[in-house]
Amino acid sequence: MPVVTFTSPTLHRDVRAYATAGDTHTLLSVAEKNGVKLPHDCRDGECGSCLIKVDYVEGKPKMGMALTEKEKDRLKEMGRITQAQIEDAEVRDIPPPYRLACQFVVRDEEIIVTFSGQPGEG
Ligand code: FES
């Protein structure tokens, strides 16, 4: 079962969310379902306001490597991902540190999502 822990200075305490394995919800929708106010605007990988930092819990499988083309382009424009990190993700299953919550489809993994509460600042 996917387990997502949201952490942010905007939250009184960390929010731990259990998503349904096998569904295709984005991290943004998981946040909303759990009352976490993650900054967002377009919901379509264009504006970059849903930038988040993602850490993977040690010893758990890492499965967040499927970046959409939009997400790659936007993160590159924001200076939050390098071509080398994209190759690491796609070829070596090494996840990049920054993602867009509206493009990140939650799978069966355990992750920690950090955000500042300021749109586009991660
Ligand atoms: S909400 Fe605009 S890129 Fe995610």
Side-chain angles (χ1 to χ4, degrees):
M1 177 190 292
V3 182
V4 182
T5 302
F6 293 96
T7 183
S8 168
T10 64
L11 298 170
H12 294 302
R13 58 184 166 81
D14 291 355
V15 174
R16 201 164 160 85
Y18 299 88
T20 308
D23 68 18
T24 54
H25 292 303
T26 65
L27 209 38
L28 180 56
S29 72
V30 172
E32 288 174 329
K33 277 189 188 157
N34 287 275
V36 174
K37 290 187 173 47
L38 220 161
H40 65 278
D41 187 7
C42 71
R43 310 181 74 95
D44 195 30
E46 300 282 354
C47 70
S49 61
C50 64
L51 184 73
I52 49 167
K53 185 165 187 304
V54 180
D55 291 296
Y56 291 78
V57 173
E58 202 62 41
K60 303 283 182 178
K62 299 171 182 171
M63 303 180 72
M65 271 62 80
L67 280 73
T68 64
E69 291 303 316
K70 270 185 194 172
E71 182 177 17
K72 286 186 246 179
D73 290 347
R74 191 69 194 107
L75 288 173
K76 273 198 260 184
E77 284 169 19
M78 297 171 80
R80 297 296 188 148
I81 197 168
T82 63
Q83 189 58 40
Q85 286 173 321
I86 291 173
E87 284 170 25
D88 277 348
E90 294 178 342
V91 180
R92 290 176 277 281
D93 284 349
I94 300 170
Y98 288 97
R99 299 292 303 268
L100 296 177
C102 72
Q103 299 293 295
F104 187 121
V105 175
V106 179
R107 297 195 285 168
D108 197 5
E109 57 201 337
E110 188 165 346
I111 56 176
I112 300 164
V113 173
T114 307
F115 63 99
S116 68
Q118 297 299 315
E121 287 189 11

